[in-house]
Amino acid sequence: MTLIAEPAPGSAILRRQRVRESAARTYARSFPIVPVRAHGMTVEGADGRRYLDCLSGAGTLALGHNHPVVLEAIRRTLDSGAPLHLLDLATAEKDDFTTALLESLPAEFAARARVHFCGPAGTDAVEAALKLMQTATGRRGALAFTGGYHGMTAGALAVTGNVAVKEPLPGGGEVTRLPYPYSYRCPFGLGGPAGERLAAVYTERLLDDPAGGVVRPAAMILEAVQGEGGAVPAPDGWLREMRRITTERGIPLIVDEVQTGVGRTGAMWAVQHSGIVPDAMVLSKAIGGSLPLAVVVYREEYDGWRPGAHTGTFRGNTLAMAAGAATLRYVAEHRLADRAERVGRYLAGELTALQSRLPVIGEVRGRGLMLGVELVDAGAEPDACGARPADPALAVRVREACLARGLIVELGGRHDAVLRLLPPLTITDEQARAVVERLAEAVEAAVEPR
């Protein structure tokens, strides 16, 4: 009698997903697992295997999976009988969230700020910020940067730098693309402080050139640390120059803190490293405590919208506001931004030390617990800045080798050759050591001759 083996746990779910869901799915392709339980940094699959999660919902899970303070806030709200959906009506939960949010923001910015609740994703908040500044200034167009990522809806995609996702679509608005100071692959072939200075000078002279082709725009939008662009931190001095340049020319500055916010970079908000005060901040991901929530916070003098100028059905996610307020207060009270800075420095140091025996690691960079490891072809000739060509095929092999060792790490960067580390701020010292060990083993396995 022939016995037919039972399918592996979760395999039927994965098969149905492949058949039913769109070809646009992304993370599901990189990580063919079926998570059934999760706590903190640990995810357990249907097959019983456990993984350390260095993706954290693309930075959404500041406190990791199912943190007790988040669960308690959700249960308390459910048990209270509070309405879960009320469009943009006032609720106690919204009032509490807005209070917690404003208390967390830089005091100079929060003192005269307005909060607009958007649709549930950061891309809608970007759309709202761009529309707000177009309304306030009466101008069109925007200044955006190479390597930037701001979302997938029309306006947000227009200011995003990724060519592959933009190429099949019609034009998305008037956008002037400016060079971001990515020192390892400097657009000017200089790197370091010289490349940073030239990026600022180029921006200023282009805007002032009467034959430069740039009509004064409605806004400039940037990330203080580019996330999808490969964990590239902007130098603080360059950010201060962008603030000066925009202020002197009456151009509102929008800072996209969707991924950098809530302690991720070693400060509650990434703008605090440089001390700049933007005109608007776009916030999402971690502010909802793992649930969908997005807002734009902006200086009150720009509040020229008419009622209904930017609406959305799901602006009033009561559970997300309760979870978000609890998360914001927990991060502040437990100084998790400081911990992110310390653990991030440890991880960066350990990973940089691997370069001597693993020359395929071209650069380790980032800020706090928003780190990137760029993989390169170690046998190729370096360019003028000392950077070797990116090796996306190697990066895919390393990601697969990480998963086989129980580590979830996703790719990003200009050529999808950057291993991105976004662990929760609650990562333990033991888990940090395990991340380094597993990643090092994965790189070694991926470069071995086949």
Side-chain angles (χ1 to χ4, degrees), residues 33-165:
I33 61 177
V34 178
V36 294
R37 277 173 292 276
H39 179 75
M41 193 176 171
T42 302
V43 173
E44 182 180 338
D47 59 358
R49 293 197 64 203
R50 294 187 174 186
Y51 304 86
L52 289 178
D53 185 3
C54 268
L55 181 56
S56 300
T60 298
L61 302 168
L63 303 183
H65 295 273
N66 292 318
H67 192 279
V69 74
V70 172
L71 297 182
E72 197 280 327
I74 293 172
R75 291 191 184 104
R76 183 177 66 246
T77 305
L78 289 171
D79 292 343
S80 73
L84 300 183
H85 185 280
L86 276 175
L87 300 170
D88 67 351
L89 298 183
T91 65
E93 291 77 18
K94 178 190 281 190
D95 181 65
D96 186 53
F97 171 79
T98 306
T99 298
L101 178 63
L102 292 174
E103 287 175 348
S104 77
L105 291 167
E108 185 179 350
F109 180 60
R112 297 183 60 193
R114 295 290 180 94
V115 180
H116 180 76
F117 288 84
C118 306
T123 188
D124 188 70
V126 170
E127 298 283 352
L130 294 172
K131 285 171 60 176
L132 172 71
M133 295 313 179
Q134 289 168 351
T135 301
T137 63
R139 302 194 293 265
R140 297 183 300 170
L143 304 172
F145 291 87
T146 53
Y149 179 85
H150 302 286
M152 287 290 176
T153 51
L157 186 58
V159 293
T160 289
N162 190 311
V163 173
V165 295

Side-chain angles (χ1 to χ4, degrees), residues 266-284:
M268 193 65 175
W269 305 101
V271 293
Q272 292 174 295
H273 293 292
S274 62
I276 66 169
V277 179
D279 297 298
M281 290 171 63
V282 178
L283 315 176
S284 187

Side-chain angles (χ1 to χ4, degrees), residues 178-261:
L178 299 168
Y180 194 85
Y182 176 13
S183 186
Y184 187 64
R185 300 194 185 280
C186 177
F188 303 107
L190 297 173
E196 171 193 340
R197 284 194 301 272
L198 190 52
V201 170
Y202 175 87
T203 297
E204 187 164 26
R205 293 192 177 177
L206 178 65
L207 294 177
D208 290 345
D209 186 348
V214 180
V215 177
R216 193 162 56 144
M220 172 187 282
I221 185 167
L222 58 79
E223 300 158 275
V225 181
Q226 289 191 341
E228 304 303 316
V232 183
D236 291 339
W238 178 84
L239 284 171
R240 287 190 284 268
E241 279 294 278
M242 292 305 102
R243 176 68 285 190
R244 178 188 65 78
I245 289 167
T246 53
T247 298
E248 290 177 356
R249 289 155 185 81
I251 301 171
L253 176 63
I254 303 168
V255 177
D256 183 337
E257 291 247 22
V258 168
Q259 195 167 95
T260 55

Side-chain angles (χ1 to χ4, degrees), residues 184-185 376-390:
Y184 187 64
R185 300 194 185 280
V376 300
D377 180 352
E381 286 297 315
D383 64 14
C385 295
R388 290 180 166 81

